[in-house]
Amino acid sequence: TYDVCELCPGPNLNMIVGANGTGKSSIVCAICLGLAGKPSFIGRADKVGLFVKQGCLKGVVEIELFQKPDNITITREIQVVNNASAWFINKKPTTLKTVEEQIAALNIQVDNLCQFLPQDKVGEFAKLSKVELLEATEKSIGPPEMYQFHCELKNFREKERELEVNVNIIETESGDCRDISVTKFNNLCRDKTNSLEKMRQRVERYKQDVERYHERKRHIDLIEMLERKRPWVEYESVRKQHEEVKQSRDQAKEQLKNLKEMQSPVTKKIQETEEYFKSLDMKIRDKAAEIKDISQKCKQKQDALDLKDKQIEEINQALRMKKDEEMDRQRKIHNTHKIIEDWENELKTMAVCENLQPQTDAVNNELKKIQEERANIDSDISDLKIEKMNQEREKKRIIDRLEQLSNIMNMKEETLKGRFQDTHSALMWLRKNRDKFKKTVCEPMMLEINMKDNMHAKYVENHISANDMRAFVFESQEDMEMRDRQKLRVNAVCAPAESCAESLPLRPIEELHRYGFFSYLRELFDAPCPVMSYLCSHYRVHDVPVGTEKTRNMIERVIQESKLRQIYTTEEKYIVKVSAYTKLTFSTNSSLRAAQFLINSVDTEERRQLENQQKNINNTLKSLDMHLTTLFEKQKQLEHRDNELRQQKKELLERGNRRRQLESKIGVKYDSLRQLEQDAIDLEKESQQANVKIKEINIQKARLVTELMHLIKKCVSLNIFKADLALQSTTVAAEKNRLELEYKESSIQLRAAEQQFRELDDRKRVLTENCKELLKKARQVCKLGPEEHPPKEFQTAFQDLPNTLEEIDASLNEEKTRASCFTGLNASVVEEYNKQTQEIQELTEYLEEKKNELDKYKQNISQVKERWLNPLKKLVEQINEKFSNFFGSMQCVGEVDLHVENEEEYDKYGIRIRVKFHSNTELHELTPYHQSGGEKSVS
């Protein structure tokens, strides 16, 4: 009915009443199950899961019990699925056993119908016998010791019956049982006592001879035992040595086995690593050859593309020249027509001829010079244009290459963005706000540092901390404060005020070549001056050498002789320190981590060369433009002078008598005009032919570009794969070196263990032979077979004897001397004495035991009975008084009394309930059959 219900009863709750369906049983079931009761105590279901509300998977009962000084809270969680329960005391997990102990300590008995009576168990209460009702009453409301006393009385009575039977008590029909038991027992004790006294007198006469006989026998037995033990002690001494050696040998054998087992997988792993390393090396060489081949093909394709561009330019140049030639022809035709027209007009109006030949020759000579000069200028202009075109093509190639290098920088920036978002955000802000800083601010070192060879990136990254690798480098402390004002959460360092970028190492690298060193760290990369200055000052990159495998193989000598403090080999970093106290040198080494930030470094030398080339080309183009401008200006001046001279020549011809000459010239001009008209160029046809050639060349270029892009992609993928193989090779080489070092150390331990095992095994073999001989001798002394062990009596006797050979020999001499002093003794006297003594002891013990037991049980029964019966009678009287009052209030009669058939039969005591519900009936005992269901419930 209810999802959640909380009940807070007072301290005297003894009944729950209510209409049907209001939840009485819910409260009763919760009390029973929450106090570690079983479902069978309630009589409704056999599984705890059935008490949880339908549709729910879990039910919880929480009960708080009064207890001094602090209350106790018991919680039970019931799972419907598996009928499992989880218990908690004061919210802490516990076990069912602990909960039951807590419940029992508070005298709570949910299985006792006299203390906890569910509605469905009323019929079972009525079925209880008088004896069961008494026990339930004692448990529920009696003192804790009442039920215990009752149980003791029943046990004592049972033992008393057994004792009366043992002493042959025969109960008569008319006499008192307890008096007869005492009388019979006393008569039997008197007869046994008389026999005991007679036996004691006989034994006293044999005592002295028996003592002397036993004294001699003890000495002889001790001598025999000492003689038997002596070879065993000798054997045991050697056996212990053998066991110690055997144990040491077994330990050495186990250690040797373990070392061999440990070394076997290492050897196998070294071989596997060696093979894997060789395969990786072979793959790297194959990939390098393939990359070289593809690079050569790329260069060939690029050269072919350049050639095609040159061919197109030549075609365009030829077309332009055709156009210029045609325009020049048209201009000449036009000029020729005009000249002919002018001359013909002159012929019509010609005056008297003058002698103007010298002036005319002078003008012609100057015209000739100007034409030659103009031809030279035209040739120079054409050459300069071709040179300019070549320079612009080279400039485009350099710009494309610089863009490729910029893409590598973008990759580094993406790496920075992916791993250090705050640093990347600060970088973007810096690039937009450089004007806010007084001095140069360098970007994070991982962007500024450019490796000359990517294979050396691991040395630099292992030397510079990760925090500094993503740090900005400032040239002034004041600029660094800008970072704090902008609240930029990035690392930053300040370069030294005095630059250290050009600091010299303590010794030239040539002095270290004999140790395998090939360079200092500073020479492996390029960086801006502030960054390099900081690294030289803080990390001393100018004085940390990098070595090869040769360095690693002679590292101890390098450390001792070179006095270097930091050393790099192919795969390891060594740090050397000198103790301030002992002046001893010690070193630590660690494997190099694979590079993460600098492996995509730009070739700064190439970039610098390209930038210089671009700058030179720009200067060259500027110079060419200026030269062309000068030539165009000069060409314009010459053309102007040419026109002036022609005008002068024309004026001179006009002034002379030149009819014949004019007519001749006019004829020549007509011939020239006809020739010019015959030499006409079809520009449209020439243009179409040029376009066809260019289209064909462009198709070839597209094919070449496609092939080139495919080769570049393949080259990039091969480079990536090669880099991955190189990283794998580096990792495998480090693992191989580590395994070889482990194998070398384990081999030394293995040889030492084998030597120790052989020595111990030889010693064990010698001790084994000695043990066998001594054991055979010891068995012969004790008269034992080859596989027999000393009997138990020997072992017991050996424990009391000396444990060393010296003590045993001394005891043998002493005991032999003592035994020789006893003579004339007979063994039959000892046998009779022992027989009589045994009978006396048995009879004495029997009489004493029976008497004590009977007295003890009588006393216990009397004491326990008094402590049990008096409180029980008072308790029953209190129950009867209240029971009678309750029934009287209902106009009925009810009594409760202690039912006793025989006062000595404590297991038959019981509580009898008698009730009368009708005035015309007698009091009847409450039974399962006589009263109705309602009368039983009321009772």
Side-chain angles (χ1 to χ4, degrees):
T1 303
Y2 307 107
D3 287 320
V4 178
C5 179
E6 184 175 2
L7 181 67
C8 300
N12 298 310
L13 170 68
N14 62 356
M15 185 171 291
I16 301 174
V17 296
N20 290 344
T22 55
K24 300 187 300 297
S25 296
S26 296
I27 297 172
V28 172
C29 293
I31 293 174
C32 178
L33 297 177
L35 297 176
K38 299 177 181 178
S40 59
F41 295 169
I42 303 170
R44 291 209 165 196
D46 59 345
K47 296 180 180 178
V48 292
L50 298 174
F51 288 87
V52 178
K53 184 177 179 180
Q54 289 186 350
C56 298
L57 297 177
K58 182 176 77 171
V60 180
V61 178
E62 184 175 281
I63 298 178
E64 184 175 359
L65 300 173
F66 173 77
Q67 177 179 273
K68 292 183 180 180
D70 298 315
N71 291 352
I72 180 174
T73 301
I74 298 175
T75 306
R76 181 177 188 175
E77 291 185 359
I78 302 172
Q79 302 292 337
V80 175
V81 178
N82 53 5
N83 289 294
S85 297
W87 294 92
F88 303 86
I89 293 181
N90 294 331
K91 306 298 182 183
K92 296 180 180 179
T94 187
T95 60
L96 174 61
K97 184 178 180 182
T98 305
V99 174
E100 289 175 343
E101 292 173 354
Q102 289 282 355
I103 298 299
L106 295 171
N107 196 31
I108 295 174
Q109 306 166 22
V110 291
D111 58 338
N112 190 337
L113 296 179
C114 284
Q115 188 179 100
F116 183 79
L117 181 60
Q119 181 175 310
D120 299 299
K121 290 288 185 175
V122 170
E124 292 189 17
F125 181 88
K127 293 178 184 178
L128 292 176
S129 66
K130 292 188 286 290
V131 174
E132 291 172 337
L133 197 56
L134 173 61
E135 290 181 354
T137 302
E138 289 174 330
K139 292 177 182 178
S140 62
I141 62 173
E145 66 274 6
M146 179 175 285
Y147 179 69
Q148 182 182 351
F149 288 156
H150 191 183
C151 293
E152 288 180 4
L153 281 172
K154 288 188 283 187
N155 292 333
F156 287 156
R157 178 56 187 159
E158 187 65 28
K159 291 293 183 179
E160 186 182 27
R161 288 197 192 98
E162 293 175 2
L163 283 173
E164 289 172 352
V165 171
N166 286 336
V167 294
N168 298 318
I169 303 297
I170 300 174
E171 187 176 333
T172 61
E173 293 181 1
S174 58
D176 181 81
C177 177
R178 189 168 52 190
D179 293 341
I180 291 174
S181 298
V182 175
T183 303
K184 294 278 186 178
F185 181 75
N186 289 338
N187 291 335
L188 182 62
C189 286
R190 189 164 48 250
D191 293 339
K192 295 284 184 182
T193 302
N194 292 335
S195 299
L196 181 62
E197 184 63 27
K198 291 178 182 179
M199 283 188 286
R200 284 175 176 168
Q201 291 174 1
R202 283 197 300 272
V203 166
E204 190 65 27
R205 292 196 294 269
Y206 300 134
K207 186 174 182 180
Q208 187 175 0
D209 290 342
V210 169
E211 286 178 353
R212 292 181 70 248
Y213 179 84
H214 280 308
E215 183 70 18
R216 179 176 177 274
K217 185 70 166 60
R218 279 196 297 273
H219 291 304
I220 293 173
D221 291 344
L222 184 57
I223 291 169
E224 291 178 355
M225 281 299 168
L226 287 169
E227 289 175 344
R228 290 190 184 107
K229 183 175 181 179
R230 190 181 189 287
W232 287 104
V233 170
E234 191 175 0
Y235 161 74
E236 186 64 20
S237 176
V238 177
R239 188 192 66 80
K240 285 181 179 179
Q241 295 180 33
H242 174 269
E243 287 299 321
E244 291 174 359
V245 173
K246 181 177 178 295
Q247 186 177 4
S248 299
R249 189 209 66 159
D250 292 343
Q251 290 176 354
K253 183 178 180 181
E254 184 66 25
Q255 184 181 5
L256 182 62
K257 180 183 176 184
N258 292 337
L259 287 172
K260 287 181 178 179
E261 290 175 352
M262 289 169 61
Q263 195 177 46
S264 177
V266 173
T267 306
K268 184 178 179 182
K269 199 166 184 180
I270 289 173
Q271 293 173 352
E272 293 173 353
T273 307
E274 181 70 27
E275 292 173 0
Y276 185 41
F277 181 76
K278 288 180 180 178
S279 67
L280 286 175
D281 191 50
M282 183 64 70
K283 289 179 181 179
I284 290 171
R285 286 199 293 270
D286 293 343
K287 294 300 173 187
E290 194 173 351
I291 289 168
K292 184 177 179 181
D293 183 52
I294 292 174
S295 299
Q296 187 65 30
K297 291 179 180 179
C298 286
K299 188 175 184 306
Q300 293 173 359
K301 298 294 180 185
Q302 186 64 49
D303 293 342
L305 280 172
D306 293 342
L307 181 61
K308 296 299 178 185
D309 288 336
K310 190 173 181 180
Q311 291 175 358
I312 291 173
E313 185 59 33
E314 288 173 353
I315 292 170
N316 288 329
Q317 181 68 17
L319 183 61
R320 284 195 298 271
M321 291 176 69
K322 292 281 186 181
K323 288 180 180 180
D324 292 341
E325 186 179 346
E326 178 62 19
M327 288 175 65
D328 189 53
R329 188 186 69 83
Q330 292 290 344
R331 187 171 59 254
K332 287 179 179 179
I333 291 173
H334 175 72
N335 292 336
T336 302
H337 277 295
K338 187 177 180 184
I339 291 169
I340 291 171
E341 184 181 353
D342 291 340
W343 285 349
E344 287 177 347
N345 291 333
E346 184 181 359
L347 282 175
K348 293 176 183 180
T349 59
M350 185 175 293
V352 181
C353 180
E354 300 178 2
N355 186 16
L356 300 174
Q357 188 61 40
Q359 296 181 28
T360 302
D361 292 341
V363 171
N364 286 333
N365 291 333
E366 189 174 354
L367 279 171
K368 186 177 180 181
K369 290 179 181 179
I370 288 173
Q371 287 173 357
E372 289 176 357
E373 193 172 351
R374 285 182 68 187
N376 292 333
I377 289 173
D378 288 339
S379 177
D380 291 343
I381 289 173
S382 177
D383 292 342
L384 287 174
K385 285 182 178 180
I386 293 172
E387 176 66 18
K388 182 179 179 181
M389 184 174 61
N390 292 335
Q391 291 292 334
E392 287 176 344
R393 186 161 56 246
E394 181 65 15
K395 179 180 178 181
K396 184 177 181 302
R397 184 189 69 78
I398 290 171
I399 290 173
D400 291 342
R401 179 55 182 160
L402 286 172
E403 286 180 357
Q404 292 179 3
L405 297 178
S406 296
N407 289 337
I408 296 176
M409 286 297 295
N410 292 337
M411 289 172 61
K412 294 176 71 174
E413 288 184 18
E414 287 299 320
T415 302
L416 177 68
K417 182 178 180 180
R419 300 196 59 176
F420 311 109
Q421 181 64 46
D422 291 341
T423 305
H424 185 267
S425 300
L427 175 64
M428 296 297 103
W429 181 88
L430 171 66
R431 290 177 177 176
K432 295 177 182 177
N433 298 274
R434 286 190 181 274
D435 57 324
K436 294 184 179 181
F437 298 94
K438 294 182 178 181
K439 293 188 177 181
T440 303
V441 179
C442 295
E443 295 180 358
M445 292 189 196
M446 63 181 289
L447 301 180
E448 297 286 8
I449 294 175
N450 290 303
M451 299 304 302
K452 295 180 180 178
D453 186 343
N454 288 337
M455 294 297 290
H456 297 152
K458 60 183 178 181
Y459 303 122
V460 179
E461 283 199 29
N462 279 272
H463 194 68
I464 302 173
S465 69
N467 286 336
D468 279 355
M469 192 63 72
R470 57 191 175 101
F472 293 82
V473 181
F474 292 82
E475 280 196 297
S476 70
Q477 193 67 34
E478 184 178 352
D479 285 342
M480 282 189 67
E481 294 174 358
M482 176 68 73
R483 175 196 63 169
D484 302 330
R485 289 197 295 272
Q486 293 297 327
K487 297 182 179 178
L488 299 175
R489 296 187 299 172
V490 296
N491 294 345
V493 297
C494 188
E498 184 177 348
S499 176
C500 301
E502 301 299 328
S503 299
L504 296 176
L506 295 178
R507 68 189 82 177
I509 191 64
E510 289 76 15
E511 292 185 11
L512 301 177
H513 283 170
R514 57 197 177 101
Y515 300 120
F517 294 108
F518 63 87
S519 174
Y520 286 108
L521 278 178
R522 183 176 62 184
E523 277 62 51
L524 299 181
F525 64 93
D526 291 321
C529 185
V531 176
M532 187 64 79
S533 178
Y534 173 77
L535 293 178
C536 288
S537 172
H538 193 70
Y539 289 99
R540 297 191 62 79
V541 294
H542 63 286
D543 207 26
V544 177
V546 181
T548 59
E549 191 66 25
K550 175 182 177 182
T551 311
R552 183 180 176 276
N553 294 335
M554 56 187 300
I555 190 64
E556 292 184 2
R557 178 186 166 193
V558 173
I559 292 172
Q560 294 297 327
E561 295 181 3
S562 67
K563 307 300 182 182
L564 293 169
R565 292 295 172 258
Q566 292 191 68
I567 299 169
Y568 283 91
T569 64
T570 309
E571 298 297 338
E572 292 177 325
K573 173 183 179 180
Y574 290 83
I575 297 176
V576 182
K577 296 182 180 179
V578 178
S579 172
Y581 301 101
T582 62
K583 304 301 179 183
L584 294 176
T585 301
F586 60 94
S587 63
T588 58
N589 66 306
S590 58
S591 298
L592 298 182
R593 304 185 307 274
Q596 301 176 13
F597 306 117
L598 303 179
I599 52 175
N600 293 322
S601 294
V602 177
D603 188 342
T604 54
E605 184 62 28
E606 180 187 3
R607 183 172 183 174
R608 186 161 52 249
Q609 290 177 2
L610 289 172
E611 288 173 349
N612 291 336
Q613 290 177 16
Q614 185 181 22
K615 186 176 179 181
N616 293 335
I617 288 173
N618 287 334
N619 293 334
T620 302
L621 287 173
K622 187 176 179 181
S623 175
L624 289 173
D625 288 339
M626 292 174 63
H627 199 178
L628 281 171
T629 303
T630 303
L631 289 175
F632 285 141
E633 185 66 30
K634 192 171 182 180
Q635 187 183 45
K636 187 176 179 181
Q637 293 174 0
L638 289 172
E639 188 175 356
H640 180 68
R641 179 59 180 161
D642 182 88
N643 292 334
E644 288 179 350
L645 290 173
R646 288 181 186 278
Q647 184 65 28
Q648 290 178 15
K649 184 177 180 181
K650 180 181 177 181
E651 292 174 355
L652 290 172
L653 290 175
E654 288 175 353
R655 292 167 56 189
N657 185 8
R658 297 167 41 203
R659 176 176 291 278
R660 186 177 51 81
Q661 294 175 356
L662 286 175
E663 288 175 351
S664 177
K665 287 181 179 180
I666 288 170
V668 173
K669 285 294 180 184
Y670 273 119
D671 292 338
S672 177
L673 184 62
R674 283 192 295 271
Q675 184 64 40
L676 287 171
E677 288 174 349
Q678 289 175 3
D679 294 339
I681 298 173
D682 190 348
L683 291 176
E684 185 177 354
K685 181 180 178 181
E686 294 291 336
S687 179
Q688 288 177 354
Q689 291 176 353
N691 288 336
V692 169
K693 291 179 181 179
I694 290 172
K695 185 176 180 180
E696 183 180 352
I697 292 172
N698 281 332
I699 292 171
Q700 295 173 5
K701 278 182 65 179
R703 186 164 59 252
L704 287 171
V705 169
T706 302
E707 293 173 357
L708 178 61
M709 290 304 296
H710 177 70
L711 289 172
I712 290 173
K713 288 180 180 178
K714 188 173 181 182
C715 188
V716 170
S717 64
L718 286 173
N719 272 304
I720 293 172
F721 188 59
K722 179 188 172 188
D724 184 51
L725 289 174
L727 289 174
Q728 293 182 40
S729 176
T730 302
T731 305
V732 170
E735 178 66 13
K736 175 173 164 288
N737 292 335
R738 184 185 66 79
L739 290 172
E740 288 175 348
L741 184 61
E742 289 182 4
Y743 180 81
K744 184 177 180 182
E745 293 174 353
S746 62
S747 297
I748 295 172
Q749 295 178 358
L750 184 63
R751 287 194 294 271
E754 288 176 344
Q755 179 63 26
Q756 184 183 7
F757 173 75
R758 284 194 295 270
E759 293 174 356
L760 291 171
D761 193 54
D762 293 341
R763 189 178 174 195
K764 173 188 169 293
R765 201 160 33 248
V766 173
L767 289 172
T768 301
E769 294 299 324
N770 292 343
C771 284
K772 288 180 180 178
E773 292 297 327
L774 292 172
L775 181 61
K776 181 179 180 181
K777 179 181 177 182
R779 282 176 173 156
Q780 288 175 352
V781 171
C782 294
K783 299 179 181 180
L784 299 175
E787 300 298 327
E788 285 187 280
H789 295 284
K792 189 174 181 180
E793 58 269 20
F794 280 13
Q795 297 177 15
T796 305
F798 286 170
Q799 291 177 359
D800 298 328
L801 298 178
N803 293 320
T804 63
L805 292 174
E806 293 78 6
E807 292 174 346
I808 288 175
D809 290 340
S811 297
L812 275 172
N813 293 330
E814 182 180 351
E815 293 302 321
K816 287 178 181 178
T817 303
R818 291 178 182 273
S820 63
C821 299
F822 295 92
T823 55
L825 297 174
N826 192 350
S828 60
V829 176
V830 177
E831 292 178 2
E832 183 64 22
Y833 175 82
N834 290 337
K835 181 180 178 182
Q836 294 291 325
T837 303
Q838 182 66 28
E839 290 178 358
I840 290 170
Q841 182 179 357
E842 290 174 356
L843 185 57
T844 301
E845 290 176 355
Y846 175 79
L847 291 173
E848 189 66 27
E849 181 183 354
K850 296 304 177 183
K851 184 174 182 301
N852 291 339
E853 284 185 16
L854 191 55
D855 291 343
K856 182 178 179 181
Y857 279 109
K858 288 178 182 290
Q859 184 178 3
N860 287 342
I861 289 172
S862 176
Q863 292 175 353
V864 175
K865 181 178 180 181
E866 181 178 355
R867 296 170 64 185
W868 169 71
L869 192 56
N870 293 338
L872 178 61
K873 287 180 179 179
K874 291 181 181 179
L875 182 63
V876 173
E877 288 174 1
Q878 293 174 3
I879 295 172
N880 178 56
E881 181 181 353
K882 294 182 180 180
F883 192 77
S884 298
N885 291 339
F886 288 144
F887 265 72
S889 67
M890 297 185 294
Q891 307 302 317
C892 301
V893 179
E895 291 182 357
V896 177
D897 61 5
L898 183 63
H899 179 71
V900 182
E901 294 180 359
N902 185 340
E903 287 188 0
E904 301 298 327
E905 301 297 326
Y906 304 108
D907 54 344
K908 295 182 180 179
Y909 276 66
I911 293 260
R912 181 173 60 180
I913 301 175
R914 295 192 298 164
V915 295
K916 183 175 79 169
F917 288 91
H918 307 286
S919 58
N920 57 351
T921 61
E922 297 294 329
L923 281 168
H924 286 284
E925 186 175 344
L926 182 67
T927 66
Y929 317 106
H930 190 274
Q931 287 78 14
S932 67
E935 289 172 346
K936 286 186 283 187
S937 296
V938 170
S939 301

